[in-house]
DNA sequence: TCGGTATTTAAGTAATAGCTTACACACGCG
DNA sequence: CGCGTGTGTAAGCTATTACTTAAATACCGA
């Protein structure tokens, strides 16, 4: 959970997730969408992967990155339910959606 | 939105929110729950307040802090819906819950 | 095998975040 | 008024983060 929130604190990383929400992309395709250097993007991708928000698969020379939407939804929804009494009514639905995704670890 | 995620990236600040989820507390009561100095806690509270996640009200010498649950739920639910196709079915319910809370600004 | 492309690792630097102590301010009460 | 308490501000230190360039690794195709 710490790693997830840490990962989400960067605008660049949130933008990467937004791109991956539409389609899987290679490291190079992602880097091309930013003005910063490729190694910088690669480091951001590592942070996202360590947080469990994306996964990577090497295909030949290319590394394809994919969003792990369940991890994101599970962690954020879980946190909101934990802190906000207001959202408790949604608990059941959200849990159902989280489905087979792994539970977020405690702080 | 940036400020919200930035605020949530700190374990101390998330813990503060957790305390405030149960009851309103004064700055001193919050500080007493941590081992760090009072000024440090005060700075964390400023970050949370700037993010719109808490509000403060001065009563005599004391400053009472209160969680703004709608802001937290609204921002996080909104972000999840934006990035995770999986959670789109919940959109309507979440929007209803968000209710009168202000919309999160774009990145 | 050689050369080019895709990606990551390494090393170094600059900006930022979080902490501490010391101080300042505001309030309530004797 | 003057003192103690609650809180926030200021200044300074340290550690971490985000970036850069240069180099290493891995793969494909001629």
């Amino acid at each position: 959970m710490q790693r997830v929130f840490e990962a989400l604190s960067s605008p660049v990383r949130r933008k990467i997730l937004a791109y991956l929400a539409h389609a899987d992309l290679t490291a190079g395709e992602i880097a091309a969408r930013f003005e910063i250097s490729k190694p910088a993007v690669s480091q951001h991708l590592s942070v996202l992967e360590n947080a469990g928000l994306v996964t990577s698969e090497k295909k030949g020379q290319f590394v394809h990155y994919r969003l792990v939407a369940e991890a994101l939804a599970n962690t954020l929804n879980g946190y909101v339910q934990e802190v906000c009494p207001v959202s408790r009514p949604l608990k059941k639905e959200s849990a159902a959606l989280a489905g087979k995704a792994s539970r977020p670890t405690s702080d």
Side-chain angles (χ1 to χ4, degrees), chain A residues 68-79:
Chain A
V68 183
E70 312 76 44
L72 184 58
N74 203 40
T75 302
L76 293 191
N77 287 335
Y79 180 71

Side-chain angles (χ1 to χ4, degrees), chain A residues 8 11-25 33-34 48 54 67 72:
Chain A
L8 293 176
V12 171
R13 289 191 288 263
R14 287 200 306 278
K15 203 168 181 182
I16 290 175
L17 294 181
Y19 284 132
L20 293 178
H22 292 95
D24 293 1
L25 296 170
R33 288 163 165 76
F34 293 89
L48 288 170
V54 307
L67 176 68
L72 184 58

Side-chain angles (χ1 to χ4, degrees), chain A residues 26-27 49 55-66:
Chain A
T26 68
E49 190 162 20
T55 57
S56 63
E57 188 181 355
K58 189 164 189 176
K59 288 185 182 176
Q61 312 175 266
F62 301 88
V63 178
H64 292 258
Y65 282 88
R66 182 172 59 79

Side-chain angles (χ1 to χ4, degrees), chain A residues 1-3 9 13 19 23 26 39 42 45 48 50 61 79 81 83 85 88 95 97 100 103 106:
Chain A
M1 176 177 200
Q2 171 55 30
R3 288 188 181 177
S9 72
R13 289 191 288 263
Y19 284 132
T26 68
S42 183
L45 287 168
L48 288 170
N50 287 332
Q61 312 175 266
Y79 180 71
Q81 289 156 22
V83 170
R88 294 253 164 80
L97 275 173
K100 45 201 163 249
R103 283 236 161 276
S106 75

Side-chain angles (χ1 to χ4, degrees), chain A residues 35-47:
Chain A
E35 298 199 335
I36 61 179
S37 68
K38 286 180 184 179
V41 173
S42 183
Q43 285 160 15
H44 282 302
L45 287 168
S46 291
V47 172

